[in-house]
Amino acid sequence: MSSAIFNFNNSYQSLGESFFEWVKPTPVQSPGLLLFNHSLANDLGLSVDLSENSSSKLEQIFSGNQLTEGSEPMAQAYAGHQFGYFTMLGDGRAILLGEHITPSQQRFDIQLKGSGPTPYSRRGDGRATLKAMLREYLISESMHGLGIPTSRSLAIVKSGEKVYREEIQDGAILTRIMQSHIRVGSFEYVNHYLTKEDLKAYTYYTLARHYPLAAVENPALSLLKKVLIQQVHLIVHWMRVGFIHGVMNTDNMSIAGETFDYGPCAFMNGYDPAKVFSSIDTNGRYAFANQPGIAHWNLSCLANALLPIIHDNQEQSVELAKEVLNLFPDLYTQEYTDMMAAKIGFSKNQLSDEVVDLVKELLNWMKENQADYTNSFLQIQSVLSPEGIYAGSFFAEWLKKREALLAKQGSSLAQAKELMQFQNPLVIPRNHWVEKVLDSVAFTGDLSSFNAFLQVLQTPYMSTKNIENYQAPPENGDGFYATYCGT
Ligand code: AMP
Ligand code: MG
């Protein structure tokens, strides 16, 4: 055991052994620390001594080769609906080291991803490729910069071992930080495989951990409502920045409302509501514009898992759950409308049918012209000079209409711009750049282009040095760009 770096205080184990399996990370041959997120370590209040010989100590810890004081490693059990079908899952290549308490008393899961097989690995090797972990690190930290709830990435350690996928690749271990890894699929597991008493205990546990102030008159119903509200916030954020999660299975939907499991996700360039990047999503189930509908569907899976403890009478249980689920469409529409209005410079109290129509007209035009989702709003904000389709008559007319409407609402262009600047990122992790910097690390080991991109992505609303390098969409569009799961 190595000395304390985390302030572990584990609670999940108190639920009992039917909720997880004890399992230690499988040591790797020659760990090498590649990335360490100092600012996150600082925020978490970790006792990391960077002066003496630190990287050799850190790579022992963040590879899983050495456990630190208070660590009680285990793999969590969960199930889930994958592309609509229920199945048993569990942490097949992730191990929870423990729950760290920050100096301000916040609790975070410290998880290793790619740390070796567990009883839930099925046919998998429990490992992860360097490229996939770099991708998760980059995009999760970018999401954090965008102000979107997300898992965070603390470290990447190269394993010094090869991982066998379609081709042989370098292996790596990522340290993932989340408020918890409790998912919709965790409740589906408890409902399907454990007892009603377990379901009750799990609901109490989750409420205490994530929603301690929620009404407890009907704990299951309160939890459902809280999760629903958090998911509405989250999906509206995704729609704001053009993020496509790619694999919104119920096991990848966090109860605390954080984005996680950055497998086949990608940001959209040209606006297309039907956009899909994931190679396995052949029916477009998780397409950009389907995300709110899928979130609603996933919440119905949560409701279903909670039914036995919402009410003793099943019919009443269903009625009560439906009442909560039916809140989704209006809540979502309201928040989405507010967000889109703000993207073109109108505040909540300036909302009118005319503003809603203005947004619709813009989106229709963007779709027809495959206009870049990010840069179109920057054009409206007059951050970029009008070229190409933005120099055409539709856009000029639309801008005039918007200006007149702003004036009618008593708002100036300057006020609108101020409102827009924290809605519309100047930079997103565009696919062609993501691929470029990942390849650079994977093929040459050189981190400079990765770090330069990461730095710009950390403050995406600020006009930082060299930002313009990353702002242009790929010259020939996304072409056949595709992302892959579980790599
Ligand atoms: P995901 O698609 O990443 O959400 O993973 C779905 C399920 O597959 C989870 O239970 C994972 O733990 C498991 N899994 C994915 N990749 C591997 C792997 N290389 N080895 C073992 N299990 C894996
Ligand atoms: Mg997953």
Side-chain angles (χ1 to χ4, degrees), residues 375-386:
N375 290 356
S376 293
F377 293 98
L378 297 178
Q379 292 284 351
I380 299 165
Q381 218 171 302
S382 1
V383 171
L384 305 173
S385 56

Side-chain angles (χ1 to χ4, degrees), residues 76 78 82 88-94 113-114 116-118 120-129 163 165 176 183 245 247 249 251-252 260-264 280 485-487:
Q76 288 180 340
Y78 57 85
Q82 298 198 308
M88 177 59 200
L89 296 158
D91 287 331
R93 57 157 167 180
K113 185 169 174 181
T118 78
Y120 307 112
S121 295
R122 292 168 289 171
R123 284 185 301 277
D125 59 3
R127 294 297 184 191
T129 66
V163 172
R165 298 292 182 260
R176 176 159 77 178
R183 321 136 191 265
H245 183 283
V247 62
N249 296 331
D251 53 302
N252 293 336
F260 84 118
D261 229 324
Y262 291 91
I280 59 167
C485 252
T487 39

